[in-house]
Structure formats: C-alpha cells, structure tokens
Amino acid sequence: MNYELGMVIRNLDTIKDMKIQFKNIGLILLLLAGVAWPGQAEIKLPALFTDYVVLQQQSDVAVWGWADAKESVVVKPSWSDEVYSTKADKSGKWKLNIKTPVAGGPFELSVSDGTEVVLHDIMIGEVWLCSGQSNMEMPMKGFPGQPVEGSNMDILKSKNNNIRMITVPRGKTPVIKDDFNGKWITASPETVAEFSATGYYFGRLLNEMLDVPVGLIDVTFGGSCIQAWMSEETSVPFNDTPLPNMDDIPNIPNRTPTVLFNSMLNPVIGFGMKGCIWYQGETNYESPDQYEKLFPEMVAEWRKLWNIGEFPFYYMQIAPFDYSMFQHDTINPKFNSAYLRDAQRKSMNNISNSGMAVIMDIGEKTCIHPKKKKVGGERLALWALGDTYGIKGFGFKSPSLNAIEIKGSKVVVSFNDVGEGLTTFGQDLTGFEIAGENKIFFPAQVYLRRKSVVVSSPHVEKPVAVRYAFDDFVIGTLFGTNGLPVSSFRSDEW
C-alpha cells in the first residue's frame, strides 16, 4: 500500500477522536484525492502568471512554467476555442505562445498536465515594464522624509480594477533566477501606496486615455548602476568592476555588474508587453562617456531577449541635482551631472523607437528624488500616447537642439519639435553660455525668437560653441508652448 495512503487510513481513528464529523464518504474521498501520488507533481506557474494578471492585447504572448519532465501540458484560454499544447523538456520547463484578443475581460486561463490550474480574473490590455533605480522605485507614499507631491489624494482615489501591478522584490545574485515571490494586484489605496509613483502615474494616464486595462511590472532597485541590469555577455566589454562569484553572495553590492539582471530581470524576460519605461542614470553620473555606449547596448540586449521586435523604450532624463556631496575628484569637470544628461539626450539618436522625458524644471538642489513624480510619469505617458498609440493633436516631445549658426559675434540656436514656438512663461531666460576657441564659457545675453534664440557675449568676439543649462543643478527656463521643457545641451564635444 502507498505509504501516504496508509497513513491517512490509519489516522481516521484519530480524526474521529478529534470529533471531526464526516457527513458522508465523499469527504473521505476528497481527503484521499489530496495525497501526493508518485509522478503526479502539480504543475507550477511563475509569479507572473497569477489571478488578476494583465496580458498584452492582440499578441502572441508567451506562457511558461514547470511540470514533470516530458509531461504534456495543455493551455485553454476562455476568450477563444483554441487549445494549445506542448511538452515539458527534460528539466521540466515548458513554454508556448497563445493569441490574445482585443482589450477586455475578465477571462480565465486553464493550464493542465493532468492536474489543472486555473487563473481567474484575467484582463487583456496594455502591459508596460517599469525599470531603473530609486527614482522609478520611489513609491506613491514617498520615502522617509521625501514626499511625492499630491500623492495622498491620488492614493485615496486610486481604486481601479483596470490598473493592475506586480513588483519584483529586490534581489542581487551571481546566479540566474527563473522566478520570484510576488503576485498581480489591482489598484487600490493600500496597493498603490506601495507601488512606483512614476510607474503608477504613467499607467493611470494610459488607462484614462486609452480606456483599456493597463498592467505595470515594477523591476527596480535604488542606487543601481546600468551595468547591473545587463547580462554578463553584454556587460563584460564595459566592466571596470569584477564580475561577482558565489563567494560574494552575502555582500554583493547592487552596483555589481549582472546581479540585478540575473536576479530581477531574468524572471520577467519574455513576458508579453507593449514597451518599457526607464528611470536611471544617477549612479552613473561620473561616467557619462561610458554611459553613452552602455545605454544603447542595454536596450538592444533587452529587445533581443524579449524577441518581440524593437518595442518602445521611453526614459526619463535625470533631474538636475547638486551632486557635489558625492564628488571624490573635484578636478574632473564631467562630475557635473549635465554631462550624463547630455549622454541621455544624444541616446535618442542611438536608440530606435525611443523617447526622452525632460524634467529640467522640477529638479531639487538638495534632494535627488524630485517630489513632482506625477509630472515625470505623465511626461513618459505623453510619449507613449503620441508615439506608440498615435494620438494626434497634442505635444509630447520637448523642443530639442537642431543646429547653431554663427553670425559674426552672435549665434543663432535653432530647435526641432518647437510646435507653436518657444516660451519662458514670463520668467527671465537664463542658462545660456557661449565660448570661443579658448573653450572658456561666459554667460550669454539672449534674445528669444518664436522658434530660435540668439545668444552673444561682449567677452566672446568669435563664438564657436553654445551650452544651455549645463550645470549640476539648474532650473530650466526655456519651454515649448506645449509646456515641455528644453533639455540641457551643448554644441561642443569638449
């Protein structure tokens, strides 16, 4: 007799002694049915596939999990009559793709290898990955002593069954992980308070404007460098930090190359989504030249691994902040974070299907986490709504540097994406500098035209270069009439 079954039968007298009254033999059969018979382990799904999950609409989305080796797996969605099947490999891993309909729900999804698991209350809609370091991680409730402006009322009003979220817990390891502890949750005051503020405001505006369910996946770790989000294969050529080994596990810094890719990103790679929003760069501010090369490589790797084409990748330019408290080498001028912002600005030309949200107007001198997270999150959403979803009639791009034209002692600076023109909204236009061949910059006098600016200085007779808002901490004063600020920039490569 099977050992577990024998134990159940022998314990029936004990159950009786405990005065548990069985009303009929059916309950005993239910008890026996719960015995784990050899070779019939229950099919396992990763944390990404739980009740309340949002699946990307009108796509072939991947579904995967684990079963007994070589076991047949059948997947049945309630939104169609299609039945999908595959076999687990020798390690027990299985994966297949299923077609999703237009946005809607709720639906169910049955997964069975003989033992059925059913996912309930599934929505079909738009799924976005939200990744980066602490400014993306910062929850709606804020950090200790660091608020998110206006979030309390937004948290209170956040109940929405059509906004759903999942967070990958912090982790850092040299070993690649396939899963994590987590589950999908619907938006409510209790859940939204703990979720990424930038991600939530992004998703909320998408949900409002598209009128479809929105799923948000939070994969963030404060203080992380970009190298930590790249695989060993991709990051090795850029590394000046040794890769981790098993002996490092107890004390691995989150700035170690590969460790966040291994532990946090790998479990979500391949999950069906529309695109990614990214807010990171503060930790790499001392290495802008390297970042300019790393950033496009990271995006290219993620797109290759997801294998769904060049999905939209929208990112936040880091806000102005006084980084002097972190400086170790005051001789190096590139410790000015404007160089990192400039690397991000130029990355739009090096990363296809990308866009940068500019936040030159909301930085805080003494806090690296700007409190106006709604402003940033919604500017990312503007990019998605205009560029990905094709909504017309509004502005979603900040004006950007087009060219400089030197006319004697004056320089005319022209811009792209100016729409109805440039404005300062009534404040003084500051932050422009010009330099001659000696590379010494002087504050410039500025004349604002509708779609360009003219700069000059009595100290520079023959200007060759222009910079705008090129300081560690600065408040931008130049905007498009759509309200979106112009990024800091430089025309030189000094």
Side-chain angles (χ1 to χ4, degrees):
M1 179 182 293
N2 175 275
Y3 174 76
E4 289 87 351
L5 179 58
M7 287 298 294
V8 170
I9 293 173
R10 284 194 293 271
N11 283 330
L12 288 179
D13 288 339
T14 302
I15 294 172
K16 184 177 179 180
D17 291 342
M18 295 171 64
K19 296 183 179 180
I20 298 178
Q21 302 298 317
F22 292 100
K23 294 184 178 180
N24 55 56
I25 193 66
L27 291 178
I28 298 177
L29 294 176
L30 286 174
L31 179 63
L32 297 180
V35 173
W37 295 88
Q40 290 190 348
E42 182 175 319
I43 196 165
K44 182 179 184 296
L45 296 173
L48 283 169
F49 298 99
T50 66
D51 294 346
Y52 310 115
V53 62
V54 180
L55 299 178
Q56 179 61 38
Q57 67 168 321
Q58 302 182 79
S59 299
D60 288 328
V61 300
V63 179
W64 66 88
W66 299 269
D68 285 340
K70 305 298 183 180
E71 188 70 61
S72 294
V73 176
V74 177
V75 177
K76 299 177 183 178
S78 69
W79 56 81
S80 76
D81 295 327
E82 293 281 347
V83 177
Y84 303 85
S85 63
T86 188
K87 281 193 174 184
D89 63 21
K90 62 182 180 181
S91 70
K93 179 72 178 288
W94 59 269
K95 184 176 183 179
L96 50 72
N97 284 52
I98 62 175
K99 294 184 181 299
T100 55
V102 296
F107 299 106
E108 292 186 346
L109 186 70
S110 165
V111 183
S112 176
D113 63 348
T115 301
E116 185 182 38
V117 174
V118 179
L119 304 186
H120 303 279
D121 200 354
I122 296 171
M123 302 301 283
I124 307 294
E126 294 297 304
V127 180
W128 286 79
L129 177 69
C130 313
S131 190
Q133 59 180 109
S134 57
N135 267 306
M136 182 65 84
E137 182 181 38
M138 189 176 191
M140 285 287 287
K141 67 180 183 181
F143 288 142
Q146 298 179 5
V148 172
E149 185 177 85
S151 67
N152 195 50
M153 290 300 291
D154 289 334
I155 290 170
L156 176 64
K157 300 176 182 180
S158 65
K159 184 175 177 60
N160 187 337
N161 190 50
N162 283 321
I163 296 178
R164 301 182 176 196
M165 309 159 291
I166 187 170
T167 299
V168 178
R170 283 183 167 194
K172 44 195 174 81
T173 172
V175 180
I176 291 180
K177 296 176 63 177
D178 292 327
D179 200 5
F180 60 93
N181 292 322
K183 63 180 180 179
W184 285 89
I185 51 179
T186 59
S188 69
E190 288 182 311
T191 59
V192 165
E194 303 292 335
F195 194 76
S196 161
T198 298
Y200 172 71
Y201 283 123
F202 170 85
R204 188 179 74 169
L205 189 55
L206 258 58
N207 171 248
E208 177 185 352
M209 300 309 300
L210 301 175
D211 194 26
V212 299
V214 172
L216 303 169
I217 306 170
D218 182 345
V219 186
T220 56
F221 201 134
S224 57
C225 64
I226 194 170
Q227 295 94 323
W229 296 103
M230 301 168 70
S231 73
E232 179 176 346
E233 177 184 1
T234 303
S235 63
V236 161
F238 301 98
N239 283 339
D240 50 17
T241 304
L243 293 175
N245 58 59
M246 294 300 294
D247 296 332
D248 297 328
I249 287 179
N251 301 301
I252 293 178
N254 65 349
R255 302 184 182 191
T256 306
T258 76
V259 296
L260 305 186
F261 176 94
N262 294 340
S263 182
M264 299 178 67
L265 188 72
N266 191 70
V268 305
I269 288 175
F271 187 80
M273 66 179 190
K274 189 67 171 185
C276 176
I277 58 172
W278 173 258
Y279 195 163
Q280 191 277 335
E282 295 90 345
T283 296
N284 292 89
Y285 86 98
E286 295 179 341
S287 306
D289 296 335
Q290 185 187 48
Y291 196 88
E292 192 173 337
K293 300 173 183 177
L294 282 165
F295 191 23
E297 288 292 330
M298 187 203 78
V299 176
E301 176 176 50
W302 287 20
R303 286 172 169 170
K304 178 181 178 182
L305 291 170
W306 250 270
N307 195 29
I308 55 174
E310 294 191 340
F311 57 76
F313 197 101
Y314 302 125
Y315 59 96
M316 196 86 73
Q317 188 181 48
I318 64 170
F321 167 71
D322 182 4
Y323 283 83
S324 62
M325 65 184 72
F326 302 141
Q327 290 184 7
H328 307 293
D329 176 6
T330 56
I331 297 175
N332 186 349
K334 290 192 175 181
F335 281 13
N336 171 1
S337 60
Y339 285 92
L340 193 285
R341 292 198 302 273
D342 209 50
Q344 293 177 312
R345 177 184 69 87
K346 291 185 286 187
S347 290
M348 280 218 303
N349 296 323
N350 300 322
I351 302 173
S352 60
N353 200 15
S354 69
M356 182 180 72
V358 180
I359 49 174
M360 294 297 300
D361 53 333
I362 65 170
E364 299 176 38
K365 186 173 184 178
T366 60
C367 184
I368 201 170
H369 304 121
K371 61 180 176 290
K372 295 181 181 292
K373 287 291 182 284
K374 178 182 177 182
V375 173
E378 290 190 343
R379 285 179 184 170
L380 287 170
L382 293 181
W383 266 102
L385 292 167
D387 196 44
T388 297
Y389 298 108
I391 298 178
K392 307 295 184 183
F394 74 102
F396 60 91
K397 298 180 180 180
S398 283
S400 60
L401 175 66
N402 174 39
I404 67 169
E405 182 182 2
I406 298 171
K407 294 185 174 182
S409 62
K410 300 181 186 298
V411 182
V412 179
V413 185
S414 61
F415 297 86
N416 299 313
D417 303 310
V418 290
E420 295 303 309
L422 301 166
T423 182
T424 64
F425 290 105
Q427 59 188 327
D428 293 336
L429 180 53
T430 60
F432 278 91
E433 301 173 292
I434 61 172
E437 293 181 352
N438 61 6
K439 301 182 181 181
I440 299 174
F441 282 90
F442 292 90
Q445 299 170 348
V446 186
Y447 172 70
L448 177 62
R449 294 175 172 175
R450 189 166 75 87
K451 294 190 176 184
S452 63
V453 297
V454 181
V455 295
S456 62
S457 169
H459 303 291
V460 183
E461 294 183 3
K462 298 180 178 180
V464 298
V466 177
R467 292 181 176 182
Y468 166 68
F470 216 76
D471 287 313
D472 210 20
F473 174 74
V474 63
I475 296 296
T477 56
L478 185 60
F479 298 79
T481 55
N482 58 15
L484 300 177
V486 174
S487 166
S488 55
F489 64 80
R490 56 178 176 148
S491 67
D492 64 276
E493 292 293 334
W494 299 335

